[in-house]
Structure formats: structure tokens, C-alpha cells
Amino acid sequence: MNFDGIISRIAKEWCISKKDVLNNMQQVIDEAYGNPNPKIRAEWAAFGHKPTPKEFLLYMSVRMLKHKNK
């Protein structure tokens, strides 16, 4: 499933618009990105910038697959 399909599925399940899904995701990313905890800051450093929802979802998907295959 592609990114748009995932966002559409979430929107349908939660009865909200795709725009609202993306806005909610970005709000959570923004809040988490500003976390002062050094361990969490180190995790975000892997991006080099604040990611978009699409970048974050791709990153986490790859990370989960790597962890699953260990």
C-alpha cells in the first residue's frame, strides 16, 4: 500500500479528512521533535531535519522491518 492509501485508510477509519490525518501527524511530529530528552534528540538526529509525515512513516516502516528481521 502506498502512502496515500495508508492516509486514506486512516481517514476512513477515524471518519476524518485526509488533510486532518496529515495535520494531526505533523502536529505530533512537531511536538516530538522538540522533546528535550537527549535519547530522543539523538533519534531525531537520524533525519537531519524535522520530517514530514511521509518521511516519518517511511523511516519507521524501514526501521520496523529491520528490527523484525533481526
Side-chain angles (χ1 to χ4, degrees):
M1 183 178 292
N2 64 21
F3 181 74
D4 190 55
I6 293 168
I7 299 304
S8 294
R9 188 170 180 178
I10 293 169
K12 184 176 180 180
E13 186 172 320
W14 287 90
C15 299
I16 61 176
S17 71
K18 292 190 295 184
K19 183 178 179 179
D20 285 341
V21 171
L22 292 171
N23 286 341
N24 290 341
M25 289 176 73
Q26 190 64 58
Q27 182 179 7
V28 171
I29 290 167
D30 292 347
E31 289 175 20
Y33 191 80
N35 190 312
N37 182 309
K39 285 186 176 182
I40 295 172
R41 301 287 314 155
E43 290 287 333
W44 284 112
F47 282 102
H49 66 281
K50 188 185 317 179
T52 65
K54 186 174 186 175
E55 291 170 329
F56 182 76
L57 187 60
L58 177 61
Y59 173 81
M60 291 307 294
S61 297
V62 169
R63 190 167 171 188
M64 289 171 61
L65 285 172
K66 286 181 181 178
H67 181 73
K68 180 181 174 185
N69 293 328
K70 280 188 176 183

